[in-house]
Amino acid sequence: MSACVPARADSARTKHVHPPHSPPPAGPRRFRVAGADVSAAIAVFLIALPLSLGIALATGAPLQAGLVAAAVGGIVAGRIGGCPLQVSGPAAGLTVVTADLIQRYGWRTTCAITVLAGLVQLGLGCLRVARSALAVSPAIVHGMLAGIGVTIAVAQLHIVLGGTPQSSVPDNLVALPAQLANLQPADLAVSVLTLTVLLLWPRIPGRAGALLGKLPAALIAVAGATAVASLTGLVLPKVDLPSWSSHALAALPDGPVLGLAAAVLTTTLVCSVQSLLGAVAVDRLVAARPAPTGHVKRSDLDRELLGQGAANIVSGSLGGLPVAGVAVRSSANVAAGAVSRNSTMLHGVLVVIAALLLVPALELIPLASLAALVMAVGLKMVSLNHIRTVTRHREVLVYAVTTCGVVFLGVLEGVALGIAVAVGVALHRLTRTRITHDDAEGVHHVHVRGQLTFLAVPRLSRVLHQVPHGADAVVELDGSFMDHAAYETLQDWQRTHTAQGGAVDITGRRPGTRISEPAEVDGCRCRPWTPWRNHQCERPPVAAPAGTAPQPAADGYHGTATGPAPGPAPDLSTSGPPDAAGTPGAPGTLCGPVRATRPTARELARGISAFHRNTAPLMRRELARLAREGQQPSQLFLTCADSRVVTSMITSSGPGDLFVVRNVGNFVPLPGAESGDDSVAAAIEYAVDVLKVRSITVCGHSGCGAMQALLRAEPASAPTPLQRWLRHGLPSLERVPPKDDEDEIPRARPRLAGRAPADAAERLCLANVVQQLEHLRAHESVARALDAGDLELHGMYFHVGEAQSYLLSEEAEGGVFELVLETDLPV
C-alpha cells in the first residue's frame, strides 16, 4: 500500500486535537485599531474635508470628485501603499494639471486619463523603478511645486474677489485690474476672514493656544467663515453637491493620441514624484518622533507606487480627481501619533460617511472661503526655505527656470526646461576650470579650481609657462578629476621645470597617488577619515642589499583633517627637496629639512606633512581669518582626555567653534581652595566671562578608564596624583546605588532612553555627567550667566563602539540621555 493512501477510510475526517497540558489553539484574529490611529484619523479627516472641496473647486471638477479622491486615496492607497503613514488624496500639486485637462478634454475624459496614469504607475511599480524617480534634482521638484503654487494662487485670487478665473496665469494677470474694479464685497469679506483665521489660529499664545491648536486651522477657518456668512445672511456662491445618482463617471478617452499620451505622462510624472518624495519625507518625520510612539516600517517605494496606481485607477473609474501623497495631511498624521496604516484607511472611511450624511452642512460653505484656503496652500508651496537651499547649492537658475516654465508654459514643459538647464549647469561645472597665478614672496602659486580636462589644457599650459625658469612653484589642485591630457601636460611641465633648477610642490591631491617615476615619499596610501588602526598603515618592506636581511618597513602615519578629504586628483610630487648637502630626499624618507630617526618622531612628522599637503590648503583662508579676528567660540566643551573622543568629529565643528577643556574623567571640581582645581576653574571663568560662550557641554563616553578606576578604587596610604585627581569623581560614585539597592530607586538615576546601561561603568559615566553639571552651577561665573539667561548647560554621552551620541533631557526624574537621530534638524 502506498504511504500516501490513508489507512482508514474516514481518516480525512479525523479531528486534530491539541496535545494535553498545552494551551488551546488561538481563535480567529480580531481586527483592532489603536487609539492613536483613531485620534490621528479624526485629525486628518478634519483637514482633508475642506481641502478636498477646495482643490476640486480650483480644478473646475465636480465638487464630489474631491471627496471621491480623498476617500479612495485613504482606503485604497492606505491599504496597498508602501508608506504606512502617508495620506493620499487630491493634491494641490495636481491642480494645474487637472484644470488644464478638464478644459481641453472635459471631465469624463480626464477621469479616463487618471485611470491610464494609474495603469502606468502600476507598470512602473512592477518594474521597480521607484528609486529612479528620486534622481530628479530637488531644484526641479521644488521649482515645479512653486510654479504650481503661483498658478493656483493667481487663479483663486479671482474667486476671492468674486469673479471667475481664466485658463492661464498670463490671462489671469491681464484680467486682474478689471476684476479689482468689479470686486464683490461679500466674497472679499468671507475670504479675508478665512485668511485671517488661517494666519492667527496657530499663533494663539498661552495655554489656550496649546489647547485650541489641536484643532486644524483649515477647518476652523472654513467653519468660521461659513457660520458668519449664514448668520449675517450674506448672498454669495456656495458649495453645490448634486445627487450622487447624477455623478459623472469615466468615459473612453476622446482626443488626439499624442495629446492624450502627453496628458497621461504629465499626470503620472507629477503624481509619482510627489508621492515618492512625500514618502521619503514621512520616513524622516517618523524617525524624528520619540521612540515610545511605536515602531513603523520604512517606506517601500515600489509598493507605494503600486498603491498610488491602484488608487488612481479606482478614483478615475469612480469619477474622482487624480490621487497623490499629500504633505499637509501626512505630516498631520505623523504629528497626531499614528502608528499604522489604519489611521489612513479610517480617515478615508470618515470621508465616505461625511460625503453621504453631511451634504446639507457642506452646502452651506461659501466658495470664496474654499478659494481663500486653496490660495493659502498655493502660496505655501513657494517655500522660502527651498529657495535658500537651492541658492546655497548654486541651483537657483534651475529653480527659477522650472518655476517660470510651469507658470507660463505648463507643468510638463516647465519640468523639461528645468531638466535641460540642470544638465547644462552640470556640464558647465564639469568643464569650467579657474586657473590663476600669483607671486607671493618669491614663490609662484598656480591655483586650479574645478575639474582638469582636455578643455582646460590650453589655459593650464599658458599659466604654467608664466612661472619663471628656476623659480619655486606651488600648484594647488582643488578638484576631484583629472583626465589623461591634463595629466600629461602637468607631468611634462613638472619634469621640464625641475630639470631647469626649479622646485615644484603639488598640493591638494590624494596622498600616495603618483604619476612620476621616483618612489613614494612616505609610502602611505590612506586618506583622512578612512578606517584607522591607530592612524597607522603598513608600508612594503624596503629592499635590502644582497646578502643582508631585509629591513622592516616603518609604519606610515596619515594625519587627520578637520574637513572632507580632497578628491582623488593625482599626486604629482617627486622626491623631497634637497637636503643640506644638496641631494634630493631619498625615497621612503621624510621630505624637507626634518630628519626624524625615532619611530614616534617619524609618525609625528608624517602627520604634519600630511596636514601641510591635504588640509592646510583648504583651511588656510579660514585660519587666517581667525588669526585676524580672534577666537569667538559658541560653546565650552568639557570632555575626557581619552584619545578615542575626537571633539571636532563627533560635533561636526571646525576651528573656532569649540573652546575645549579635557581632563581624565571630564571632571569639574567644585570651587574652593581645598577641593578646587585652578586649571579647570580658570578655563570656565575665561570661557564664560571673556569669550562669552552661550553654552557649556559636559561630555562623557563609554569605556572611560577613570570611571572603571573609581569602581575598583581602594584606599591608599600614599595616593598618587591620579588617585588624588579621581577624588573629584566620588560624588558621582555616590549617585550610583550598589547592585543590591537598584530596585529601590529605579527612576532616580540617569539612564539611556530605549535601553538599560550595559554595566556599572556605563551607569557611572551617565551619573558623572549629571554630577559635573551640578558642579558647574556652583561656579560663580556660571551661576551669574545662568541667572541672566545668557548661558545653557548640556549633558552628552558618546558611545565609542556604536559611534552614537546621546543628549541629556532633564525633564524626566534623574535625567534621560536621548539618542540624537540622523535627521536634518532646523537651524
Side-chain angles (χ1 to χ4, degrees):
M1 180 183 294
S2 172
C4 296
V5 179
R8 292 172 54 94
D10 59 346
S11 61
R13 297 190 299 272
T14 302
K15 296 182 180 180
H16 297 278
V17 182
H18 65 276
H21 309 294
S22 64
R29 186 175 180 181
R30 298 176 59 186
F31 177 74
R32 293 183 179 180
V33 180
D37 284 335
V38 174
S39 60
I42 295 174
V44 175
F45 160 72
L46 295 177
I47 296 173
L49 191 62
L51 280 178
S52 300
L53 293 172
I55 291 172
L57 173 67
T59 61
L63 296 184
Q64 297 101 318
L67 299 177
V68 171
V72 171
I75 297 173
V76 178
R79 180 66 185 88
I80 303 176
C83 183
L85 301 189
Q86 175 160 255
V87 182
S88 300
L94 290 162
T95 303
V96 176
V97 176
T98 309
D100 182 61
L101 295 181
I102 294 174
Q103 186 176 12
R104 288 188 183 186
Y105 304 109
W107 170 241
R108 301 186 70 183
T109 300
T110 300
C111 292
I113 291 173
T114 302
V115 173
L116 294 175
L119 291 172
V120 175
Q121 285 181 301
L122 284 181
L124 294 175
C126 293
L127 293 175
R128 307 184 69 81
V129 298
R131 287 283 174 187
S132 302
L134 301 180
V136 180
S137 169
I140 297 175
V141 177
H142 297 323
M144 177 189 72
L145 295 177
I148 292 172
V150 171
T151 306
I152 292 173
V154 174
Q156 297 309 296
L157 181 59
H158 283 268
I159 302 179
V160 166
L161 299 175
T164 304
Q166 305 298 316
S167 58
S168 64
V169 174
D171 294 340
N172 281 320
L173 293 176
V174 170
L176 191 56
Q179 185 64 61
L180 289 172
N182 299 315
L183 61 86
Q184 302 297 320
D187 295 82
L188 182 60
V190 170
S191 300
V192 170
L193 175 61
T194 304
L195 293 174
T196 302
V197 175
L198 279 174
L199 180 65
L200 298 181
W201 187 260
R203 293 172 172 79
I204 299 177
R207 185 174 301 176
L211 183 63
L212 296 176
K214 296 180 180 180
L215 296 174
L219 176 70
I220 299 301
V222 174
T226 303
V228 170
S230 300
L231 293 175
T232 57
L234 293 178
V235 179
L236 68 172
K238 296 181 180 180
V239 169
D240 182 18
L241 293 175
S243 172
W244 285 102
S245 60
S246 60
H247 179 62
L249 302 179
L252 292 176
D254 182 18
V257 176
L258 291 179
L260 292 174
V264 171
L265 177 61
T266 304
T267 306
T268 304
L269 172 68
V270 178
C271 288
S272 302
V273 171
Q274 183 167 343
S275 300
L276 295 176
L277 292 177
V280 174
V282 168
D283 283 345
R284 293 176 180 173
L285 292 175
V286 172
R289 294 196 308 188
T293 55
H295 175 69
V296 180
K297 293 183 179 179
R298 290 185 63 85
S299 298
D300 182 343
L301 296 184
D302 293 304
R303 180 177 173 181
E304 179 64 19
L305 204 53
L306 293 173
Q308 296 294 331
N312 274 314
I313 293 173
V314 176
S315 179
S317 302
L318 297 178
L321 290 171
V323 171
V326 187
V328 176
R329 300 173 214 179
S330 301
S331 58
N333 193 34
V334 175
V339 295
S340 72
R341 63 179 72 245
N342 292 334
S343 64
T344 303
M345 298 168 61
L346 183 57
H347 126 270
V349 173
L350 294 176
V351 172
V352 173
I353 295 174
L356 296 176
L357 302 180
L358 299 181
V359 171
L362 296 178
E363 289 184 335
L364 296 176
I365 300 175
L367 295 182
S369 179
L370 293 178
L373 174 63
V374 176
M375 185 176 73
V377 173
L379 291 175
K380 287 183 179 180
M381 295 173 70
V382 187
S383 171
L384 293 178
N385 186 38
H386 292 160
I387 295 175
R388 294 190 194 100
T389 301
V390 298
T391 303
R392 186 167 61 249
H393 292 281
R394 298 183 299 169
E395 292 184 328
V396 68
L397 178 62
V398 178
Y399 179 91
V401 169
T402 306
T403 301
C404 295
V406 170
V407 169
F408 294 104
L409 299 177
V411 175
L412 191 60
E413 294 84 354
V415 171
L417 277 177
I419 293 175
V421 173
V423 172
V425 169
L427 291 176
H428 175 69
R429 289 176 179 173
L430 180 63
T431 58
R432 179 174 178 267
T433 307
R434 292 182 58 190
I435 305 175
T436 58
H437 167 253
D438 55 45
D439 181 5
E441 300 179 356
V443 179
H444 293 261
H445 294 265
V446 177
H447 195 172
V448 181
R449 295 181 179 89
Q451 320 310 321
L452 267 179
T453 65
F454 66 95
L455 297 175
V457 165
R459 281 180 291 150
L460 176 64
S461 179
R462 189 183 312 117
V463 172
L464 289 177
H465 283 83
Q466 294 177 6
V467 179
H469 297 313
D472 293 339
V474 177
V475 180
E476 300 179 11
L477 302 178
D478 186 4
S480 59
F481 176 76
M482 177 189 297
D483 70 0
H484 189 68
Y487 171 92
E488 287 193 344
T489 300
L490 200 52
Q491 182 191 38
D492 292 342
W493 173 83
Q494 181 185 15
R495 287 176 175 173
T496 303
H497 190 77
T498 304
Q500 294 172 346
V504 179
D505 185 15
I506 311 294
T507 65
R509 76 279 184 193
R510 177 177 176 177
T513 307
R514 310 286 182 184
I515 69 169
S516 47
E517 295 178 1
E520 298 178 2
V521 175
D522 56 7
C524 178
R525 295 182 176 270
C526 298
R527 298 180 63 185
W529 307 127
T530 52
W532 296 342
R533 292 187 62 82
N534 294 336
H535 307 279
Q536 306 299 315
C537 64
E538 295 183 358
R539 296 168 51 208
V542 179
T548 61
Q551 299 295 321
D555 286 339
Y557 176 81
H558 61 87
T560 64
T562 57
D571 182 355
L572 303 173
S573 63
T574 57
S575 57
D579 59 14
T583 58
T589 62
L590 293 174
C591 299
V594 178
R595 294 301 180 194
T597 56
R598 292 176 296 174
T600 54
R602 180 184 297 273
E603 293 167 7
L604 176 62
R606 290 186 191 280
I608 297 172
S609 175
F611 168 78
H612 288 163
R613 289 196 312 269
N614 305 324
T615 309
L618 303 177
M619 298 299 301
R620 188 169 287 119
R621 183 174 301 175
E622 176 65 12
L623 291 175
R625 183 189 67 81
L626 291 172
R628 292 192 307 269
E629 300 176 1
Q631 62 169 330
Q632 297 176 348
S634 60
Q635 63 176 297
L636 166 61
F637 198 87
L638 199 150
T639 188
C640 185
D642 194 294
S643 62
R644 298 166 296 179
V645 180
V646 185
T647 57
S648 59
M649 181 175 68
I650 65 177
T651 59
S652 297
S653 56
D657 292 339
L658 301 180
F659 186 73
V660 182
V661 174
R662 308 187 69 149
N663 60 52
V664 175
N666 49 274
F667 293 142
V668 181
L670 287 168
E674 235 179 81
S675 61
D677 180 89
D678 286 342
S679 65
V680 178
I684 294 172
E685 180 182 351
Y686 183 77
V688 175
D689 292 343
V690 180
L691 298 179
K692 304 294 183 183
V693 297
R694 298 189 298 274
S695 68
I696 301 179
T697 301
V698 176
C699 176
H701 67 94
S702 62
C704 181
M707 301 299 106
Q708 296 171 0
L710 275 173
L711 289 172
R712 61 172 181 263
E714 297 179 358
S717 56
T720 64
L722 176 59
Q723 292 171 330
R724 288 195 298 271
W725 171 254
L726 288 179
R727 76 184 188 278
H728 298 301
L730 295 178
S732 303
L733 191 61
E734 294 174 359
R735 299 183 71 104
V736 180
K739 190 70 175 177
D740 298 337
D741 299 338
E742 284 188 357
D743 295 334
E744 297 181 6
I745 46 174
R747 298 186 58 83
R749 60 180 181 274
R751 58 196 182 278
L752 294 173
R755 70 172 178 87
D759 50 25
E762 188 169 57
R763 283 194 296 271
L764 181 57
C765 285
L766 301 177
N768 183 57
V769 172
V770 177
Q771 183 65 41
Q772 302 313 314
L773 288 173
E774 292 186 4
H775 288 183
L776 265 175
R777 294 184 180 93
H779 286 258
E780 181 181 355
S781 56
V782 174
R784 186 169 56 249
L786 287 174
D787 292 340
D790 298 332
L791 186 66
E792 296 179 355
L793 301 184
H794 303 292
M796 177 176 168
Y797 175 72
F798 177 65
H799 194 289
V800 177
E802 297 174 357
Q804 290 183 325
S805 296
Y806 299 77
L807 285 179
L808 175 63
S809 172
E810 297 182 344
E811 297 178 358
E813 182 183 0
V816 176
F817 288 80
E818 297 179 348
L819 178 65
V820 179
L821 301 172
E822 299 177 13
T823 53
D824 294 330
L825 298 179
V827 178

